[in-house]
Amino acid sequence: FLLLRFALGIQKDPSLGEVEPKQTENTYESSWCTWATDLSSCPFYLLCTMSASRDISHLPAERRGVALTRSVMLGRQHQPGLFEGILGPDSVNLTFISRSHLELNEVETGNFMMRNLSQNPVVVKGSQQVAKEQQSFLSPGDSIEFIAGSDLKCFLRFRLEQTEAQPRVAVPVPTAPTFWLELDGSAVRDLPLEHRRVHPQVGFQGPQSLAVGRAFQHELHQALNEEALAWVSREHFRIEVDGHGHGIFTLVALSSNPMWRQRAEELLTMEKHDILPLERGDRIWLYTGASDGQPSGPGHKGTIVWTFCT
């Protein structure tokens, strides 16, 4: 009977309701890939080129891209459905994408300043790790990698693309950070070294001054025990950079609580508004309540030490 139906070209009764496999696949795909954007209206955009969770090679650019205007926020809150689509709705890596993860601002045509807003670091240009509140600069062809795990392995990669040939404006290469601070001491909970580093803001004129205190490194200071944190001011100290490129750094005390600059075996006390020069390897001790007024005397609540690095 079936052979007879085939020979006569009789069509299957549509009431049987059989669904073709291809339709099932498309229905499944649309359920997790809900993001779509128009990339033709913007000359520059971010394109996802690698996902550790899914094969995205078949997805059109508008399903895995983000159009870049003069200022764009990147994160699960700002591109709903994008990260679920390219990672998968059940991917554990979604937890490493913050609601507001990155901010990109165009400083010149095709040149973007990227600032990390998340406690989860990213890697720019394949090697430059950018932690929270740090900045980097991107041009077409540069990549942003989202990383996770103890080995900081890349699970998602975007590349800055341009839709068509655009006139490029030559801009000065931003100066790399020339110094940073590393937090240590018995009051600090166990954190990887890269999460205990603080860098200054960087621009085309070089690194800016760096202010340290609860008002500036909120999440990092939460790594201190509560008793020691009570002795940290909102604006505790500032490191200033010589604006003439001479590599001269100074430490300015901003808190009413005492602090110390240690150089080798020498320990100098600093009070509010005191200024001392800084050199590589100098250590900055903060007072935490010791009865003898020393950084690690009787009754202290744990030591807080910043090391100046260049």
Side-chain angles (χ1 to χ4, degrees):
F1 175 75
L2 291 176
L3 290 176
L4 179 60
R5 286 172 59 90
F6 177 78
L8 296 175
I10 301 174
Q11 300 298 314
K12 178 175 284 293
D13 185 351
S15 65
L16 295 178
E18 184 173 303
V19 180
E20 296 182 4
K22 185 176 181 180
Q23 293 173 333
T24 303
E25 181 181 350
N26 289 340
T27 302
Y28 167 73
E29 181 175 297
S30 64
S31 69
W32 56 264
C33 189
T34 60
W35 171 262
T37 187
D38 180 14
L39 300 178
S40 62
S41 60
C42 291
F44 301 97
Y45 62 96
L46 289 176
L47 180 69
C48 180
T49 59
M50 188 279 285
S51 168
S53 306
R54 290 194 179 276
D55 177 14
I56 60 170
S57 59
H58 65 288
L59 288 178
E62 59 267 18
R63 291 281 189 175
R64 52 190 173 105
V66 177
L68 295 180
T69 55
R70 295 289 295 178
S71 182
V72 170
M73 302 284 285
L74 188 68
R76 290 184 291 108
Q77 173 182 345
H78 307 283
Q79 290 80 33
L82 169 65
F83 295 99
E84 291 81 359
I86 55 183
L87 287 172
D90 301 320
S91 173
V92 296
N93 288 325
L94 280 174
T95 61
F96 297 102
I97 305 290
S98 299
R99 289 171 58 81
S100 295
H101 205 116
L102 301 175
E103 179 183 11
L104 292 98
N105 292 287
E106 190 173 28
V107 292
E108 295 288 353
T109 302
N111 294 276
F112 291 83
M113 181 179 71
M114 184 206 77
R115 182 164 67 101
N116 188 2
L117 307 175
S118 170
Q119 64 180 351
N120 298 320
V122 297
V123 172
V124 172
K125 305 175 186 178
S127 61
Q128 180 188 353
Q129 185 167 307
V130 182
K132 184 173 183 179
E133 297 302 333
Q134 294 181 12
Q135 299 173 346
S136 186
F137 292 82
L138 300 170
S139 297
D142 291 340
S143 64
I144 302 173
E145 297 180 355
F146 291 83
I147 55 179
S150 57
D151 56 353
L152 300 179
K153 186 175 181 180
C154 172
F155 65 87
L156 193 64
R157 182 182 298 116
F158 285 87
R159 187 173 61 231
L160 178 57
E161 304 278 1
Q162 56 187 109
T163 54
E164 57 186 24
Q166 297 290 324
R168 298 298 305 280
V169 177
V171 296
V173 177
T175 306
T178 57
F179 76 91
W180 66 94
L181 294 175
E182 294 179 356
L183 177 62
D184 205 349
S186 62
V188 184
R189 298 189 178 97
D190 187 27
L191 286 175
L193 177 60
E194 61 269 17
H195 293 165
R196 292 184 282 112
R197 287 177 176 160
V198 175
H199 294 264
Q201 299 293 314
V202 178
F204 294 114
Q205 302 303 318
Q208 310 298 312
S209 63
L210 172 63
V212 175
R214 289 185 290 108
F216 303 103
Q217 296 85 25
H218 177 74
E219 292 191 9
L220 178 57
H221 281 97
Q222 295 307 308
L224 301 175
N225 69 59
E226 292 185 2
E227 291 184 316
L229 179 61
W231 293 96
V232 178
S233 301
R234 287 179 54 80
E235 297 179 274
H236 210 103
F237 64 87
R238 183 174 65 249
I239 296 176
E240 296 184 345
V241 185
D242 171 59
H244 302 288
H246 298 150
I248 299 174
F249 305 94
T250 54
L251 172 63
V252 182
L254 302 176
S255 173
S256 299
N257 297 325
M259 53 185 287
W260 296 264
R261 189 210 66 184
Q262 180 185 6
R263 179 172 295 171
E265 301 301 321
E266 180 187 42
L267 193 66
L268 295 180
T269 304
M270 299 184 68
E271 298 181 354
K272 190 172 183 178
H273 303 311
D274 284 350
I275 301 175
L276 287 176
L278 273 179
E279 294 180 358
R280 180 172 57 184
D282 286 351
R283 308 184 81 193
I284 303 166
W285 292 76
L286 306 188
Y287 176 73
T288 60
S291 59
D292 62 357
Q294 296 301 305
S296 58
H300 73 90
K301 307 306 180 184
T303 56
I304 302 175
V305 190
W306 292 92
T307 302
F308 181 70
C309 307
T310 61

